Amino acid sequence: MSSPVNIICMKWGRLYGADYVNHLRAGVARHLKRPHRFVCFTDDASGLGTDVEVQPLPALGLPDGKNDRRWQKLAVFRKGFGGLSGTTLFLDLDLVVVDSIDAFFEHPGRFLIIRDDDLFRHKPLRKLNPARDRFLHSVGNSSVFRYEIGEHADILDAYLADPAAAMATYEISQQFQSAQLARRGLLEYWPKGWCVSFKNDCVPRGVRSWLREPAVPAGARIVVFAGTPKMSEVLAGGGHKWYRRIGDVRWLHEAWGA
């Protein structure tokens, strides 16, 4: 039998309700065969299902009043985080599992993450600043990443050593995280197509969106709602633009369990 693994997520504030955690937990249960713990770190456990293991939202380790929730995910790199050990897959709440995720624990690598550029359309104007373009092309999107508990404590340590400098240099925590990993030669990416963008990969582009319905691309395992529209908008029948129709998404309702 395969060794047990950890699936973890975080919920704080009011942006995502308990239903996001419960639906994510159900999707993982449907699509992960190996034994696992599903742990939600949160500041409000109300409404969470009995099959969700709950732990308090971890403190980053900054002085009182200095914590910045935009950098909250870095807390997962603390040694002994949550009393867990071993291989761990972090999942954001604003995504849906659509196929087997066992491969996320089988793919070789010490740290694996989505390449952020794989979720978005090409940005030709970025070429005007080649150095910036190269860096942004290397950044990992932290919606889905795998690591070993305690193995990358230096990421959190580097942030805590000078959080002001980190926030002045990097726009968001995933940029800082990626830069730290790249310096050690540990930044690796999931195979392209495993994690896809709803807006850019599932919804046909331009006029084609009026002719064809959104669909999950072949080989996709997780659909990520990067940018807008958010999953809540789409599930409620919204998210349309004058240049983009979002058609029949019954598959999304089924995959999310709505």
Side-chain angles (χ1 to χ4, degrees):
M1 180 178 290
S2 302
S3 299
V5 295
N6 308 306
I7 307 287
I8 64 173
C9 64
M10 285 186 175
K11 181 180 81 70
W12 66 84
R14 298 182 178 180
L15 184 57
Y16 301 112
D19 56 331
Y20 274 82
V21 179
N22 294 335
H23 284 295
L24 179 62
R25 200 280 167 267
V28 167
R30 284 194 300 272
H31 295 293
L32 181 61
K33 292 181 179 179
R34 70 168 62 211
H36 60 277
R37 293 172 68 177
F38 185 97
V39 187
C40 177
F41 294 85
T42 183
D43 57 359
D44 180 6
S46 59
L48 296 183
T50 56
D51 55 348
V52 175
E53 183 179 337
V54 178
Q55 293 206 33
L57 192 69
L60 270 171
L62 295 175
D64 289 345
K66 298 293 185 180
N67 281 315
D68 189 323
R69 290 300 189 209
R70 295 172 300 172
W71 295 69
Q72 179 69 46
K73 285 185 193 176
L74 297 184
V76 306
F77 297 117
R78 180 169 287 112
K79 286 187 179 295
F81 174 69
L84 302 174
S85 62
T87 306
T88 302
L89 185 69
F90 181 96
L91 297 176
D92 264 351
L93 297 181
D94 202 21
L95 58 77
V96 61
V97 182
V98 295
D99 204 345
S100 172
I101 57 172
D102 283 270
F104 285 85
F105 294 98
E106 298 160 359
H107 198 74
R110 290 175 60 187
F111 189 103
L112 287 151
I113 194 168
I114 308 170
R115 187 189 290 275
D116 195 50
D117 268 2
D118 287 351
L119 297 178
F120 295 95
R121 301 199 187 281
H122 181 60
K123 301 176 179 66
L125 291 180
R126 251 179 35 191
K127 298 291 184 183
L128 296 175
N129 185 339
R132 180 71 173 164
D133 181 57
R134 285 193 298 273
F135 170 68
L136 291 177
H137 186 62
S138 74
V139 169
N141 184 293
S142 59
S143 295
V144 182
F145 64 89
R146 191 193 79 202
Y147 74 112
E148 297 290 320
I149 293 288
E151 190 171 302
H152 306 287
D154 56 296
I155 297 174
L156 178 59
D157 292 343
Y159 171 69
L160 294 177
D162 196 343
M167 290 187 281
T169 305
Y170 301 97
E171 297 169 28
I172 49 180
S173 65
Q174 68 185 23
Q175 293 181 358
F176 177 81
Q177 173 180 309
S178 298
Q180 297 297 315
L181 288 160
R183 289 191 184 106
R184 295 166 57 204
L186 296 178
L187 187 60
E188 297 180 82
Y189 310 99
W190 302 118
K192 188 173 181 178
W194 281 16
C195 301
V196 298
S197 161
F198 173 79
K199 175 176 64 177
N200 294 318
D201 296 308
C202 299
V203 179
R205 192 171 187 179
V207 68
R208 288 177 295 173
S209 69
W210 298 90
L211 304 173
R212 292 192 286 117
E213 308 298 339
V216 179
R221 300 167 186 270
I222 293 176
V223 175
V224 178
F225 284 77
T228 57
K230 293 300 184 186
M231 182 159 55
S232 57
E233 295 178 76
V234 177
L235 289 169
H240 309 280
K241 298 290 185 181
W242 66 266
Y243 53 83
R244 180 190 67 221
R245 179 188 75 111
I246 296 178
D248 188 341
V249 290
R250 276 176 289 184
W251 62 264
L252 176 61
H253 284 265
E254 292 169 3
W256 201 62

